[in-house]
Amino acid sequence: MNISINAQEFQIKESISLADVLIDYSLKKHIKGSFAVALNSKFIAKGHYAKTILNAGDKIDIMSPIAGG
Amino acid sequence: MTWSIYEEELTNRLLIGSALYPSPEVMSKAVQASGSQVITLSLKRQNPSEHSGAQIWQHIQKLGLKLLPNTAGCKTADEVFTLAQMSREIFATDWIKLEVIGDDYNLQPDPIELLKSAEQLIAEGFKVLPYCTDDLVICQRLYDLGCEVIMPWASPIGTGKGLMNPYNLETIRMRLPDATLILDAGIGKPSDACIAMEMGYDGVLLNSAVALADDPVLMARAFANAIEAGSQGYLAGIMPQRQTAHASTPTLGTPFWHEQV
C-alpha cells in the first residue's frame, strides 16, 4: 500500500507500524538527529509509534529543529 | 534587575532569534554578544538532502539557553496544536511562541485563530507567548485567557520599520499593567528597542535586525546596550514633556552684564 512521508510517496507492506516505517526510514539515512512525528496532521508521541498501525493513504510528517525567529 | 517569563527568572531583556545569520558560527557569536538568555527556533519537515537544520540545532544546544520554539508557518489553530505538541516533545519545554498567520502579504497574525489557539494550548498545559498585532482588545483577550506574556508587533515581521504605532503600544502598556509585554517583530535599529523599553515594555524579541546587519555580533551588542539604556530610563522615571522653555541654568547670580540698569 502507499503512504507518504514528508510529501514523498512510499510503498509499504500492510499492517506495518509507524515504528517500523521510521526505523526503515532512518536506516536509509533520511532522518538525522531529533525529530517528532505527525500522522495525518495529528501529533503522535514517541511512546505510541509501536502501537500505531498505518493505513493506505496515511500521511506522515517528520519534523526537525531549524532556526527560527 | 531581574524579571521573569512564566516563573523563569531572567536578567537580560532581549530574546533573540536564531534565523537568517550568515552562518551558524556567526549566529552563536551574535547570540552570545547579545547576552540573551532566551533563543527562538522552529520545526520543519526534514529534507534528507540537506542537514543544515541539524547543524544549527547543534549550535543552539551548545549555547545552553532557554528555548522558545515558535509555530511559524501555521495558519489555523489545528496546525498550531499539532506543531506545538511536536515542539514540546523535541525541545522538552512548555513554552511556545504562538504564531498563526492570517495574511501572506504582511504576515499579520489571525486574531480569531490566535484566540482559539491560545485557549486550546493553555488547556493542554502550554505556557503561551502569543505574537499579535498592536490591537489592545486582542491583547486584553489573550491576557484574560491566561497568557501571562503578550507580544505585540512593532511592525510586520522582517520589515525593520520600527514602532509603527507608538500610541497603540503605549496604550497596551497602560491598560495591561500586570502583563509581561515583549515587543516582537519589525524592529530595525537599536533605538526602536530603546523606545519600547522606555515605554515600560518588559522585553524585546528580535531576529532580522541583528542577523541581517553588516556585523551581526556588533549589532547584537548595540541592541543589548539600547535595551539596557531604555530599561534604566524607564525605571529612572522620564521627565514630563513641557510646552514652554525652562532655563536649566539658575538665573540668580548671573553675570553683571545681564542685569537691568
Side-chain angles (χ1 to χ4, degrees):
Chain A
M1 64 181 190
N2 285 332
I3 59 162
S4 78
I5 303 177
N6 286 357
Q8 272 193 304
E9 292 289 319
F10 288 87
Q11 265 211 325
I12 60 165
K13 288 184 250 172
E14 304 267 333
S15 308
I16 197 166
S17 74
L18 177 59
D20 290 335
V21 165
L22 291 173
I23 289 166
D24 186 51
Y25 200 67
S26 294
L27 287 174
K28 288 174 184 155
K29 301 200 186 306
H30 289 312
I31 305 175
K32 189 176 178 183
S34 310
F35 67 92
V37 173
L39 175 62
N40 300 323
S41 305
K42 302 283 180 210
F43 168 66
I44 306 290
K46 274 194 169 34
H48 293 174
Y49 291 169
K51 61 184 174 193
T52 302
I53 304 301
L54 297 176
N55 296 303
D58 276 349
K59 290 179 180 161
I60 299 168
D61 284 302
I62 302 172
M63 308 285 272
S64 297
I66 54 156
Chain B
M1 191 171 170
T2 62
W3 66 302
S4 61
I5 295 178
Y6 287 108
E7 286 94 48
E8 178 85 20
E9 204 165 275
L10 303 166
T11 51
N12 186 287
R13 291 174 181 269
L14 171 58
L15 291 76
I16 197 157
S18 55
L20 305 173
Y21 294 86
S23 69
E25 290 76 19
V26 173
M27 183 275 293
S28 293
K29 284 180 188 164
V31 171
Q32 283 170 329
S34 77
S36 179
Q37 296 165 293
V38 179
I39 188 165
T40 59
L41 73 174
S42 197
L43 285 181
K44 77 161 192 176
R45 276 180 178 164
Q46 213 175 63
N47 179 353
S49 62
E50 48 108 355
H51 290 306
S52 57
Q55 202 193 352
I56 199 96
W57 173 223
Q58 284 168 7
H59 276 79
I60 292 170
Q61 283 177 301
K62 278 184 199 159
L63 289 166
L65 305 179
K66 179 80 185 169
L67 302 178
L68 176 54
N70 69 30
T71 60
C74 291
K75 291 187 172 175
T76 66
D78 287 343
E79 288 174 7
V80 165
F81 191 53
T82 300
L83 196 63
Q85 289 172 299
M86 296 168 104
S87 286
R88 181 154 67 180
E89 184 179 85
I90 288 187
F91 302 124
T93 178
D94 291 331
W95 283 16
I96 193 80
K97 180 186 168 186
L98 170 57
E99 287 186 46
V100 54
I101 299 303
D103 184 84
D104 287 330
Y105 177 71
N106 64 356
L107 301 178
Q108 183 165 330
D110 181 328
I112 314 298
E113 292 298 306
L114 196 62
L115 293 174
K116 199 169 135 187
S117 198
E119 192 168 18
Q120 194 175 24
L121 292 170
I122 290 166
E124 287 296 319
F126 284 94
K127 295 187 167 104
V128 182
L129 293 88
Y131 159 65
C132 55
T133 59
D134 53 11
D135 184 296
L136 171 64
V137 178
I138 292 295
C139 292
Q140 273 177 331
R141 295 284 181 271
L142 287 164
Y143 187 63
D144 293 345
L145 283 172
C147 298
E148 292 178 18
V149 179
I150 311 289
M151 305 204 296
W153 72 3
S155 48
I157 298 173
T159 59
K161 286 181 179 292
L163 282 65
M164 280 192 315
N165 198 328
Y167 170 79
N168 279 8
L169 295 170
E170 277 174 328
T171 306
I172 293 166
R173 178 67 290 175
M174 188 181 69
R175 298 289 293 152
L176 297 174
D178 299 324
T180 298
L181 293 181
I182 296 172
L183 194 70
D184 179 13
I187 289 167
K189 50 191 187 298
S191 56
D192 298 333
C194 187
I195 290 168
M197 299 307 293
E198 286 171 351
M199 282 180 182
Y201 273 66
D202 297 283
V204 169
L205 194 163
L206 55 88
N207 190 156
S208 306
V210 168
L212 301 182
D214 291 339
D215 184 341
V217 178
L218 184 58
M219 189 58 87
R221 209 170 294 133
F223 268 103
N225 289 333
I227 288 168
E228 184 64 20
S231 179
Q232 287 179 355
Y234 174 72
L235 289 172
I238 293 164
M239 66 162 278
Q241 286 189 12
R242 299 185 287 200
Q243 277 304 108
T244 53
H246 290 69
S248 50
T249 305
T251 49
L252 193 67
T254 48
F256 64 88
W257 57 83
H258 286 175
E259 287 172 8
Q260 297 282 335
V261 184

